[in-house]
Amino acid sequence: MRHVLTYVVENGERFDAGVRLDCLEALKAVSRDQQVRQALIAAARKDLNPAVRMKALESLRDAASDDDVRQALLDALGHDANPGVRVDAINVLVGSLQHRESEETAPEAAPATSVVKPASPEDDQSVERVVRALEQLQRP
């Protein structure tokens, strides 16, 4: 079933926008799957319908800490012609930073058996790119 849904999303020009939106909604729950994530990223970047691009960005929310997802969000922020898509990109990026910050500041809330994974240099670079992009939006 996942394969069919990703096929519809990846081949958007062949299917109605409403069908693509329904597929994105169904795929949102498994956005951490690599194949699904790549289909969502492709839809966010290439779909001709802005509502589909916005839904793809929303569906990527749970995977927003992934570098490829962050790059797709930054691309949408910097290059998408639709202001709604850009606003959604901002919201997902800010949410990913807030989620990361809450994970870093609350290690005592984690169970004693869990392991807190240190941030990798790639994660730090990804976060820095996001912060720079958001800071540039604040400048007049």
Side-chain angles (χ1 to χ4, degrees), residues 8-112:
V8 170
V9 170
E10 290 172 333
N11 296 281
E13 69 281 352
R14 296 181 183 181
F15 301 96
D16 179 70
V19 171
R20 296 192 311 273
L21 288 168
D22 291 341
C23 290
L24 289 168
E25 182 64 32
L27 289 170
K28 182 170 38 172
V30 290
S31 64
R32 295 228 177 243
D33 177 86
Q34 183 66 27
Q35 180 186 9
V36 170
R37 195 172 342 147
Q38 292 308 314
L40 296 174
I41 288 170
R45 286 184 167 150
K46 299 176 185 173
D47 201 282
L48 297 178
N49 187 305
V52 172
R53 294 194 306 274
M54 288 190 296
K55 186 65 162 181
L57 293 176
E58 176 192 322
S59 298
L60 288 165
R61 185 176 305 274
D62 288 342
S65 62
D66 179 78
D67 192 46
D68 290 340
V69 173
R70 279 198 178 134
Q71 190 56 54
L73 292 164
L74 290 170
D75 291 345
L77 178 60
H79 305 293
D80 199 290
N82 186 284
V85 173
R86 294 192 306 269
V87 168
D88 277 358
I90 291 169
N91 290 335
V92 175
L93 286 166
V94 169
S96 76
L97 294 177
Q98 290 171 339
H99 179 72
R100 182 175 190 261
E101 183 178 289
S102 68
E103 284 179 345
E104 289 177 355
T105 59
E108 64 278 354

